[in-house]
Amino acid sequence: MSVRRAALWSMGAQYATFTIQFAASVIISRLFLLPSDVGLFSVALAAAMLVSIFQDLGITRFISGQPQMEPKSLPFYAGVAVSIGWTVSALVALAAPLVAHFYGEPALAPLLWLIAASYLISPYATVPAALLVREMDFRALFHVNAGSALAGNGTAVILAACGFGASSLAWGVLVTALVRAGIAQWQRPVRPRLPQVFSSVKPMLGFSSMSFVLSASAAVGQRSQDLIVGRLLGIASTGLFSRASALAGQLTTLVTGAIGSVFYAAFARKRDAGEPLAEPYLHLVSCYTALNWAAMVGLALAAEPLVMLLYGPNWMGSASLLRWTALGEIFFVAVPLQMDVPLLLGQIRRLVWVNLLDTAAAVLILTAGCFISLEAAGISRVVYGFVWWAIYATYLGRLMGFRFRDLLGVYLRSGICALAAGVPLIVAGFYGLGGASMPFLTLLGLSGLGVLLWLATLALIRHPAWFEIRMLVSALARPILSRAAA
């Protein structure tokens, strides 16, 4: 499958998954659950995912990024994944009462037990999904991701409507794991077997020893956010903070999340062929920032009316948090594949130290913000975003040998396009038409006008993303035109 065709299928999966998750979050938040319910689940999930860093051990990256793969070793890799997953499940189950006591919330324990049950199932999808990425079979991966998202989120909505509260979200996690494992095994069956000799899994475990440190560091930085906010500011504040972070993260995933998985496999092929990565990487940065920055500027400018329209008055406390989170996301998408490229180039040891620095910054900056207020916790995302960008832009620039001047040139062109996209909302705010009371049709019209201005600016300055958009549109339209001509 070609890179662009793979990108189309991967984007389809991202859009389908986003639509399902987004619709479910709106229905659940607006009709059934309060911020305290979502906050309770967020703390439980974050605590469980801190333990789940042991689960993958870099198996997915190892399989999808290896130049050569022995098929006979795959069942053993799957067996290791299942063994680790069951161990993680036991640890989460045993830790559940302790976590509930630490937060003074007895309802946390049942949520953690449900999430622990999902870890018994999810490892069965690890190796099959990694093989699909390796083979660039994103059509099959579409069925895995979209199918499991539909089943899990549908379950959560139904149970929330039946009054299950926060546990409806935990049941959704369990159903997602069941369906994902089932579809993945159907698409690319791999029967787990425990290795009889160490040599059969030695290459994977050698990679995993450092990958585990890397995953652990990343998990602490990413998953500790809800735990820190929950401990210092309370469960309801965690719900508001989590909802804002989730909405910004989902939009990023929708806009460019599909590109990353496709380019990881494509970069692996370029590495194997001995081709330089600097030029294609800067092209990737151009596409990432052109798409994401415009989306994040729009999200920041429309935070209040969006929260009111989507989630209702109970969630208005998350509007300012959403604005700061969206602005912070501008930095996080400015250096894509910051973990994957060093791994492909065999720089895992150095990457571990870089990631530890990143993690320390994440925890310290958010903790400092939480000691001040919930608003300061939101602002801390922008501060941390800048620090994160400085760390990884410097590291990857040295690693791949691209000039910092060229990177800034990419940012300048994408920034101009993002500013053009935000002009209608900026003008509306200047004339007092913004705010939480903005009607839906007005917001939709201003957003649509922003998209048109963005596209016009892309074409005017001949941004690389403009040519990619044209080629994708042509690829989508070609089959339709062919059928019409026939």
Side-chain angles (χ1 to χ4, degrees):
M1 183 179 290
S2 68
V3 172
R4 286 191 173 87
R5 187 170 179 81
L8 288 175
W9 276 107
S10 189
M11 287 171 65
Q14 293 289 356
Y15 293 154
T17 302
F18 170 82
T19 301
I20 294 166
Q21 292 177 340
F22 180 70
S25 68
V26 170
I27 293 170
I28 288 173
S29 299
R30 191 172 184 88
L31 300 179
F32 306 121
L33 300 186
L34 296 173
S36 57
D37 296 315
V38 175
L40 196 67
F41 170 75
S42 298
V43 169
L45 185 63
M49 295 188 81
L50 273 181
V51 181
S52 71
I53 58 177
F54 295 95
Q55 187 169 356
D56 189 299
L57 281 184
I59 297 174
T60 298
R61 282 196 176 107
F62 175 80
I63 292 174
S64 60
Q66 283 298 295
Q68 295 181 343
M69 181 62 61
E70 291 288 340
K72 64 181 181 181
S73 298
L74 293 175
F76 300 133
Y77 296 157
V80 172
V82 170
S83 300
I84 295 171
W86 286 24
T87 302
V88 167
S89 177
L91 291 173
V92 172
L94 291 172
L98 298 177
V99 174
H101 177 73
F102 181 76
Y103 283 92
E105 294 285 349
L108 279 173
L111 300 182
L112 281 164
W113 288 329
L114 285 171
I115 296 171
S118 73
Y119 291 148
L120 294 173
I121 308 300
S122 56
Y124 288 92
T126 300
V127 173
L131 287 172
L132 293 176
V133 173
R134 176 184 177 82
E135 296 161 3
M136 296 188 72
D137 189 354
F138 288 93
R139 180 175 182 174
L141 205 58
F142 172 90
H143 298 123
V144 173
N145 294 332
S148 59
L150 181 61
N153 285 277
T155 299
V157 170
I158 292 171
L159 293 180
C162 294
F164 277 67
S167 64
S168 61
L169 301 175
W171 277 107
V173 171
L174 177 56
V175 172
T176 298
L178 283 166
V179 175
R180 179 177 173 80
I183 299 177
Q185 285 288 342
W186 173 55
Q187 294 285 353
R188 190 64 167 81
V190 178
R191 184 178 179 182
R193 292 175 55 195
L194 290 177
Q196 300 299 315
V197 292
F198 177 75
S199 60
S200 61
V201 293
K202 183 178 179 180
M204 185 196 72
L205 293 178
F207 176 88
S208 298
S209 60
M210 292 303 295
S211 182
F212 166 71
V213 179
L214 187 63
S215 298
S217 175
V220 170
Q222 295 171 8
R223 305 304 177 189
S224 64
Q225 295 178 25
D226 289 339
L227 297 177
I228 294 171
V229 175
R231 180 64 178 175
L232 296 179
L233 296 173
I235 295 298
S237 294
T238 306
L240 298 173
F241 186 88
S242 175
R243 182 57 72 213
S245 300
L247 185 55
Q250 285 174 342
L251 185 57
T252 299
T253 301
L254 170 68
V255 174
T256 54
I259 299 176
S261 58
V262 174
F263 267 88
Y264 178 75
F267 279 178
R269 293 183 179 184
K270 287 183 177 293
R271 175 207 59 187
D272 298 340
E275 299 178 18
L277 299 182
E279 185 175 344
Y281 183 78
L282 288 176
H283 183 75
L284 174 63
V285 173
S286 295
C287 296
Y288 252 70
T289 52
L291 295 166
N292 267 307
W293 284 7
M296 291 303 117
V297 166
L299 188 61
L301 292 171
E304 290 186 355
L306 267 179
V307 171
M308 177 60 76
L309 289 167
L310 294 175
Y311 303 123
N314 288 332
W315 292 86
M316 282 307 296
S318 66
S320 62
L321 301 177
L322 178 59
R323 180 177 297 109
W324 294 117
T325 302
L327 293 176
E329 202 72 22
I330 288 175
F331 292 105
F332 296 129
V333 300
V335 189
L337 299 183
Q338 82 283 357
M339 305 279 276
D340 301 295
V341 170
L343 288 175
L344 286 174
L345 297 178
Q347 296 290 319
I348 188 170
R349 291 183 180 275
R350 183 171 295 179
L351 179 60
V352 166
W353 290 107
V354 173
N355 195 250
L356 287 173
L357 176 62
D358 160 30
T359 299
V363 172
L364 290 174
I365 292 172
L366 178 59
T367 301
C370 288
F371 272 115
I372 300 172
S373 67
L374 182 58
E375 180 80 7
I379 296 173
S380 74
R381 299 301 298 162
V382 181
V383 178
Y384 168 57
F386 176 78
V387 173
W388 182 95
W389 171 81
I391 291 172
Y392 285 104
T394 303
Y395 175 51
L396 290 186
R398 292 175 178 174
L399 184 61
M400 285 187 284
F402 60 76
R403 295 181 300 178
F404 205 71
R405 182 177 62 187
D406 294 336
L407 183 65
L408 293 179
V410 169
Y411 290 159
L412 177 61
R413 299 172 79 180
S414 296
I416 292 171
C417 297
L419 182 61
V423 165
L425 287 169
I426 294 173
V427 172
F430 181 79
Y431 284 102
L433 300 176
S437 60
M438 179 184 291
F440 171 72
L441 291 179
T442 302
L443 178 60
L444 187 64
L446 292 172
S447 300
L449 181 57
V451 171
L452 292 177
L453 288 174
W454 173 71
L455 288 170
T457 308
L458 285 176
L460 182 64
I461 68 174
R462 301 179 64 82
H463 195 286
W466 171 247
F467 301 102
E468 291 293 333
I469 292 172
R470 290 177 59 188
M471 294 184 72
L472 284 175
V473 171
S474 298
L476 288 171
R478 194 176 298 117
I480 299 174
L481 294 176
S482 298
R483 293 191 192 99

